[in-house]
Amino acid sequence: MDSLLLNRFWLLLAALGGAVLPVAMSALESRSRAVVQVVCGMLIALFVAPAIQRHFLPDEGVEVQAGVSFLVGCFGLKLTTIAQRLLDRHGDGVADRLIARVTGGGK
């Protein structure tokens, strides 16, 4: 089997494991909700972990990359939820200040 393909499979497995862990530890009664959480956690890991790895850990081996994928899969959905709540509460004010700074208004 090709080494690159094996590495990608390993990272996919790490992302899946990380996404399953919080669901397995929770008391979800709905199977469909659990499946959605696993899929979302895995997708977050598949898209965010490579960016983190490329930016912060460009020369690390596949084991470190798998660790990052696992951690992002495990905590990525929770961090996304927290970020969404922050945006819901403070997003308009932050956007207004950012627009004022960019356009030079509000001085």
Side-chain angles (χ1 to χ4, degrees):
M1 185 180 279
D2 183 40
S3 178
L4 180 62
L5 184 61
L6 186 61
N7 288 348
R8 292 194 185 264
F9 177 73
W10 184 245
L11 297 176
L12 179 67
L13 189 61
L16 176 62
V20 166
L21 186 64
V23 173
M25 293 174 47
S26 71
L28 288 176
E29 295 179 13
S30 169
R31 276 187 200 249
S32 61
R33 177 94 172 151
V35 169
V36 167
Q37 284 189 355
V38 168
V39 169
C40 289
M42 195 168 148
L43 287 172
I44 290 169
L46 290 176
F47 289 109
V48 174
I52 292 171
Q53 294 159 5
R54 181 165 290 173
H55 187 15
F56 295 107
L57 306 164
D59 299 325
E60 294 298 331
V62 71
E63 295 86 5
V64 173
Q65 293 176 2
V68 171
S69 291
F70 181 87
L71 291 173
V72 172
C74 191
F75 300 112
L77 191 56
K78 183 58 80 175
L79 292 174
T80 302
T81 303
I82 291 168
Q84 187 64 48
R85 286 183 187 153
L86 285 171
L87 286 172
D88 288 346
R89 290 187 190 141
H90 306 289
D92 290 338
V94 171
D96 290 343
R97 288 191 298 274
L98 180 64
I99 290 169
R101 181 175 287 177
V102 169
T103 61
K107 288 186 176 180

